[in-house]
Amino acid sequence: FNMVSLTVGGDWMELSTTVQSIAKERQFFLNRPDNYVLVETADDVIRAEKEGKLAVGFHFQGTNPIAHNLAMVEVYYKLGIRHMLMCYNVKTPIGDGCQEITDGGLSRLGVDMVQEMNRVGMIVDLAHTGYRTSMDVFEASDKPVIISHANAWALCEHTRNIRDDQIIACAKSGGVVGIIAFGPVLGSDGTPLVELLVRHIRYMSDLVGPKHVGLALDLIYDQTVSTRTMWNPYFHPRPIPDIPPEQMDLIIETLLQDGFSEKEVRGILGENWLAVAQKIWK
């Protein structure tokens, strides 16, 4: 499926600037109906594929745009936010990010946030979230939880990567882990990046099954939203080593050469994500 999910807000943004960001992006895509479908339901993704258009969804990298007001979860959902990260690298009122010096768990507000996201149909996302906070979220959620973009710690010991028990818990929830085409979290042993990417996909597939693994290039974003600030100190503007989207054919070829079936490759490239959306989006 041809779909991208754009970051339109995050922990480094306040409520007012977030709403303005969403308004700008909605106007851009809604004014170009010949090329884009702004996603509200899983059926919109399927429709965009049939019409030869690009499906576009929105997400937040962090929960600070909620501004401690759980009522904003439903408002943002109606504005098009279809998944939201719990934390972005550092400590927030919800819990700890993966690059925080502590490893605190999910807060009481965070538990309520997860339950409200479950209620309205917004996917709970644990990318960039700390270990203990993420494990608490799996306990708190009664819907599938995703880790939209993270690789295997066992293959690359980077703070953005996740441990085996996080991968297993994600799969048990019915969720999907997205493998990143981002050089620093793939590894640095001299192996070509596409081969490293497939190595992470193979590792997680062997651990929990390929239906719980997806592709998350982490390359599609609005530079005006993702800027380095005190709330976003770990943002690295390109260029850095990563896999360009133009190498998608090579990724597919390498997956098939590694022994994945065509059905499994279709799942990894998008159908696994769509299956989660069909279960949660309303």
Side-chain angles (χ1 to χ4, degrees):
F1 291 97
N2 293 323
M3 178 181 171
V4 296
S5 183
L6 300 182
T7 298
V8 295
D11 277 344
W12 57 93
M13 293 173 66
E14 298 177 348
L15 190 154
S16 61
T17 53
T18 301
V19 171
Q20 292 171 9
S21 171
I22 296 171
K24 183 187 89 169
E25 300 295 349
R26 286 184 64 86
Q27 181 184 54
F28 179 90
F29 293 108
L30 290 173
N31 285 343
R32 294 164 174 81
D34 292 339
N35 299 314
Y36 304 105
V37 172
L38 196 55
V39 170
E40 293 187 352
T41 69
D43 287 344
D44 289 332
V45 181
I46 298 171
R47 176 169 64 87
E49 179 73 13
K50 291 179 179 178
E51 295 177 358
K53 300 175 183 178
L54 179 64
V56 178
F58 296 152
H59 67 269
F60 289 164
Q61 296 213 53
T63 51
N64 279 344
I66 300 299
H68 293 82
N69 184 357
L70 293 179
M72 289 302 300
V73 175
E74 186 167 21
V75 171
Y76 283 135
Y77 185 81
K78 290 183 180 299
L79 290 175
I81 306 305
R82 288 299 176 265
H83 65 104
M84 180 166 60
L85 278 63
M86 289 294 97
C87 308
Y88 188 86
N89 293 338
V90 297
K91 186 185 294 292
T92 76
I94 298 302
D96 280 4
C98 65
Q99 293 178 327
E100 186 55 75
I101 59 175
T102 57
D103 186 27
L106 189 67
S107 68
R108 190 179 300 273
L109 176 63
V111 172
D112 292 341
M113 180 82 70
V114 170
Q115 294 172 349
E116 180 65 4
M117 291 172 70
N118 286 171
R119 185 188 72 81
V120 306
M122 188 183 295
I123 298 173
V124 178
D125 186 349
L126 294 176
H128 289 273
T129 300
Y131 173 82
R132 184 179 167 195
T133 299
S134 71
M135 299 305 284
D136 287 347
V137 169
F138 290 123
E139 292 293 327
S141 179
D142 61 9
K143 298 288 177 64
V145 174
I146 68 170
I147 305 176
S148 62
H149 53 300
N151 292 350
W153 171 270
L155 300 183
C156 178
E157 295 183 1
H158 189 285
T159 54
R160 277 283 292 107
N161 288 341
I162 53 176
R163 273 69 170 178
D164 285 2
D165 54 352
Q166 292 171 285
I167 300 167
I168 293 169
C170 180
K172 284 183 176 179
S173 81
V176 173
V177 178
I179 306 301
I180 317 176
F182 180 57
V185 296
L186 285 169
S188 58
D189 64 359
T191 302
L193 292 183
V194 169
E195 292 182 27
L196 286 174
L197 180 80
V198 172
R199 186 183 296 174
H200 282 270
I201 293 173
R202 169 55 67 189
Y203 180 85
M204 292 199 193
S205 296
D206 288 346
L207 186 64
V208 296
K211 71 177 183 179
H212 296 293
V213 183
L215 191 63
L217 295 178
D218 197 25
L219 302 176
I220 310 299
Y221 60 95
D222 184 340
Q223 183 76 49
T224 63
V225 174
S226 297
T227 54
R228 183 184 296 274
T229 71
M230 64 177 294
W231 278 107
N232 190 11
Y234 300 101
F235 175 72
H236 299 285
R238 271 52 175 184
I240 55 175
D242 53 26
I243 301 170
E246 292 79 10
Q247 291 192 8
M248 182 62 71
D249 287 345
L250 179 58
I251 293 172
I252 295 171
E253 179 183 341
T254 307
L255 285 169
L256 292 170
Q257 290 175 348
D258 194 72
F260 288 96
S261 69
E262 290 186 11
K263 180 179 179 181
E264 289 169 341
V265 171
R266 288 197 303 270
I268 291 165
L269 294 181
E271 290 181 359
N272 295 342
W273 293 119
L274 183 63
V276 173
Q278 289 171 327
K279 293 176 183 176
I280 299 177
W281 291 350
K282 296 182 178 180

